[in-house]
Amino acid sequence: MPYVWSLVLLVVGLVLLALLLVRLFRELRRFKVVQRQVFHDLDDRSGLVKARVAGLKVAFAQRRNR
């Protein structure tokens, strides 16, 4: 019955692999959430910079027209 030990090792290996995959997918989900937050924050900040640049352009244009 040497095949029994092989089957036991195979089952244990598959269970460990399943546990590792579940943990990996959880971490990937967390990473995606954080990545979305970072992109949203960068988008907000770049919008503020664009608005400031537009304001400066208007201010310079008004100064030139005086």
Side-chain angles (χ1 to χ4, degrees), residues 26-60:
R26 272 192 215 144
E27 294 298 323
L28 284 175
R29 193 176 313 139
R30 283 186 199 163
F31 179 76
K32 285 182 181 181
V33 168
V34 171
Q35 186 181 24
R36 279 190 216 118
Q37 290 173 347
V38 168
F39 282 136
H40 182 70
D41 187 48
L42 284 174
D43 191 40
D44 285 347
R45 289 174 187 254
S46 67
L48 290 174
V49 170
K50 288 177 186 177
R52 287 179 183 166
V53 169
L56 286 172
K57 286 181 181 179
V58 169
F60 286 141

Side-chain angles (χ1 to χ4, degrees), residues 11-31:
V11 170
V12 169
L14 288 175
V15 168
L16 288 175
L17 180 63
L19 291 173
L20 287 173
L21 286 175
V22 167
R23 185 170 180 174
L24 175 69
F25 286 127
R26 272 192 215 144
E27 294 298 323
L28 284 175
R29 193 176 313 139
R30 283 186 199 163
F31 179 76

